[in-house]
Amino acid sequence: MITSGLSKYQNHLKDPMTTVAILIAYHPDPIKVVRLIRCIQQSVHTICLVDNTELEQISVTLAEGLDEFDCVRYVSIADNLGIAGAQNRALKELSDIDFEYVLFLDQDSAP
């Protein structure tokens, strides 16, 4: 039955333990990134924030904003790999988590 299959799918989506988010940033606005993380944190198990900026140093404002989140893994690439390269790097970072779904975002995404 199609209905029961759809119900099963919707139940998985309601379980944040099966979903991770990958957020790619490039010269990010720290306030927008923190706001986005606040919006999605209850819907996912883990958020992997990949800074795809060529600079090695995270901005102090963003670092302070990330301190409030236990679910965020921050990865600084210190290079611009492009969005696909950064997403692949995030998937490697999250390989220790048993997840079924990935929510791909960038710093301009709106939940």
Side-chain angles (χ1 to χ4, degrees):
M1 306 226 29
I2 294 173
T3 314
S4 64
L6 182 58
S7 298
K8 181 179 178 182
Y9 178 72
Q10 288 172 334
N11 287 339
H12 279 298
L13 291 179
K14 292 178 184 175
D15 181 4
M17 299 308 286
T18 64
T19 306
V20 295
I22 293 175
L23 173 54
I24 307 301
Y26 180 74
H27 295 282
D29 175 342
I31 294 169
K32 287 182 180 179
V33 170
V34 169
R35 186 180 312 136
L36 178 57
I37 291 170
R38 282 190 187 123
C39 289
I40 65 170
Q41 69 177 338
Q42 298 300 319
S43 301
V44 297
H45 177 271
T46 302
I47 301 166
C48 185
L49 171 59
V50 178
D51 192 344
N52 205 25
T53 307
E54 300 88 350
L55 308 172
E56 289 188 31
Q57 240 178 358
I58 185 172
S59 79
V60 173
T61 307
L62 183 56
E64 290 171 354
L66 295 178
D67 284 343
E68 73 180 85
F69 303 106
D70 293 331
C71 65
V72 175
R73 293 186 186 185
Y74 175 78
V75 177
S76 177
I77 297 177
D79 195 6
N80 184 355
L81 301 180
I83 193 161
Q87 289 171 336
N88 285 329
R89 176 63 180 87
L91 288 169
K92 287 179 187 174
E93 174 69 26
L94 297 171
S95 64
D96 64 320
I97 298 174
D98 186 22
F99 59 87
E100 293 182 58
Y101 305 101
V102 179
L103 174 62
F104 289 104
L105 303 163
D106 67 25
Q107 67 200 29
D108 298 320
S109 297

